[in-house]
C-alpha cells in the first residue's frame, strides 16, 4: 500500500493498528480515507490478522465529510460508497476492535458499529444526526445499531437524535468497557493479546458462524468438524491436559 494520507497504519505480526488521522476535519471520513481503508481490508483478507481501529487527537471520527456528501447524488448513493467499506470491515476474517475516544458520529459511529468489539473512553459519544441533514444513516446504522442495542434505543438515536455517552453505551452493551483515555490503546492491545492467544482458525470460524444469519446447528457442526481435524486442536488440548496432570 502506498503511503496513506488520512490514516496511520502500523503492521505487526498478529495485528494491524489503524489510526484515523484528519485532524483538520476531526477525522471525518472522506473518499481518500475510504480508499485507504479498502487497501487495509485487502491486506487483511490476504493475510488475516486482528484489526484495531482508533482515531487521533481525542476524536474517533466526527462523521462523514459533509462537503463530499453535499456533492453526491442518486448514483453515488446506489454505489454504497461508505456502506460497502463498512460491510467489508464487518466481514474481515479475524476479529476487529474499535477504541473510541471522543466523537463517533454519523459515518464515524457506523464505522465503530461495524467492528466486533468497542472500547470507549469516558469522553466517547455515539450518535447518528443524519436526518438533521436531510439524509439517513445509510451505512449500516439502521440495522447494526438495532442489533447491538435493540430497536427502541436505536430509534431514539436514529429518529430523535439521541447521543449515547460512554456510560449509556456501556450500560446498553454497545461498548465492552470504559477506559481512561490515556489507557485506552493499552487496554485495546491487551484485549487483542487475549484473542491472539486463541487458535487463529478457531477465531475465524467462530466469527464466521456467529455472524451467519439465522444460525443453524449444522453450521456449528461443520465448523467444529474442521477444527477437530486440525493439529492445533490436538496440540492445545494436549498442553491443557499436561498442565492439568502436573
Amino acid at each position: 500500500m502506498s503511503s496513506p494520507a488520512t490514516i496511520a497504519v502500523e503492521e505487526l505480526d498478529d495485528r494491524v493498528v489503524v489510526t484515523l488521522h484528519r485532524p483538520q476535519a476531526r477525522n471525518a471520513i472522506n473518499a481518500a480515507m475510504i480508499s485507504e481503508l479498502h487497501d487495509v481490508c485487502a491486506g487483511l483478507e490476504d493475510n488475516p490478522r486482528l484489526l484495531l481501529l482508533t482515531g487521533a487527537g481525542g476524536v474517533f471520527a466526527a462523521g462523514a465529510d459533509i462537503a463530499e456528501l453535499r456533492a453526491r447524488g442518486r448514483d453515488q448513493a446506489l454505489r454504497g460508497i461508505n456502506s460497502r467499506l463498512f460491510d467489508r470491515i464487518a466481514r474481515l476474517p479475524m476479529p476487529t476492535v474499535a477504541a473510541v475516544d471522543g466523537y463517533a458520529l454519523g459515518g464515524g459511529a457506523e464505522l465503530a458499529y461495524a467492528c466486533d468489539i468497542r472500547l470507549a473512553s469516558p469522553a466517547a459519544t455515539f450518535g447518528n444526526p443524519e436526518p438533521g441533514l436531510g439524509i439517513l444513516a445509510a451505512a449500516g446504522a439502521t440495522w447494526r445499531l438495532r442489533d447491538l442495542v435493540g430497536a427502541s434505543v436505536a430509534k431514539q438515536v436514529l429518529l430523535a437524535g439521541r447521543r449515547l455517552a460512554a456510560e449509556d453505551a456501556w450500560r446498553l452493551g454497545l461498548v465492552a468497557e470504559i477506559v481512561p483515555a490515556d489507557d485506552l490503546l493499552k487496554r485495546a492491545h491487551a484485549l487483542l493479546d487475549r484473542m491472539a492467544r486463541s487458535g487463529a482458525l478457531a477465531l475465524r470460524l467462530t466469527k464466521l458462524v456467529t455472524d451467519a444469519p439465522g444460525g443453524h446447528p449444522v453450521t456449528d457442526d461443520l465448523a467444529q468438524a474442521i477444527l477437530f481435524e486440525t493439529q492445533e486442536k490436538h496440540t492445545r488440548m494436549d498442553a491443557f491436559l499436561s498442565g492439568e496432570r502436573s
Side-chain angles (χ1 to χ4, degrees):
M1 187 174 77
S2 60
S3 180
T6 68
I7 60 176
V9 181
E10 181 183 6
E11 301 218 23
L12 304 172
D13 289 342
D14 62 356
R15 73 197 63 175
V16 173
V17 182
V18 173
T19 304
L20 310 181
H21 193 266
R22 291 189 71 214
Q24 74 282 7
R26 296 194 297 177
N27 302 334
I29 300 168
N30 65 353
M33 185 181 290
I34 289 168
S35 176
E36 290 166 4
L37 288 172
H38 272 299
D39 289 341
V40 170
C41 289
L44 290 170
E45 289 159 354
D46 289 341
N47 179 18
R49 284 168 289 172
L50 302 164
L51 172 65
L52 171 58
L53 271 171
T54 191
V59 179
F60 185 72
D65 189 291
I66 302 302
E68 288 189 1
L69 286 180
R70 173 66 179 81
R72 290 180 189 173
R74 175 191 58 199
D75 291 344
Q76 288 77 24
L78 291 173
R79 284 170 52 199
I81 294 171
N82 289 18
S83 65
R84 298 302 184 271
L85 169 66
F86 300 163
D87 286 347
R88 193 174 186 182
I89 288 172
R91 293 195 307 269
L92 286 172
M94 293 288 280
T96 58
V97 173
V100 179
D101 185 21
Y103 288 126
L105 302 177
E110 291 180 299
L111 175 57
Y113 302 157
C115 293
D116 295 309
I117 298 173
R118 287 150 295 280
L119 302 181
S121 78
T125 302
F126 299 85
N128 290 97
E130 286 88 344
L133 296 170
I135 59 174
L136 63 87
T142 55
W143 47 278
R144 280 200 181 98
L145 185 60
R146 179 198 62 215
D147 291 345
L148 290 166
V149 300
S152 176
V153 174
K155 288 180 179 180
Q156 293 171 46
V157 173
L158 297 167
L159 301 179
R162 178 181 177 184
R163 292 187 177 184
L164 299 178
E167 189 68 28
D168 289 332
W170 174 79
R171 180 173 51 82
L172 292 163
L174 180 61
V175 302
E177 288 184 68
I178 300 173
V179 184
D182 290 345
D183 296 328
L184 185 59
L185 288 184
K186 180 180 178 181
R187 184 69 190 97
H189 277 291
L191 174 60
L192 291 169
D193 290 343
R194 187 194 317 159
M195 288 192 281
R197 289 194 289 270
S198 295
L201 183 59
L203 281 179
R204 290 186 64 176
L205 288 176
T206 299
K207 176 173 176 174
L208 190 65
V209 172
T210 301
D211 286 342
H216 196 284
V218 172
T219 307
D220 294 351
D221 293 344
L222 290 172
Q224 192 74 297
I226 293 170
L227 292 169
F228 271 12
E229 295 298 317
T230 62
Q231 182 58 47
E232 183 168 32
K233 172 241 184 179
H234 292 283
T235 300
R236 286 175 174 270
M237 290 192 177
D238 286 347
F240 176 86
L241 291 171
S242 295
E244 191 176 70
R245 295 189 189 103
S246 61

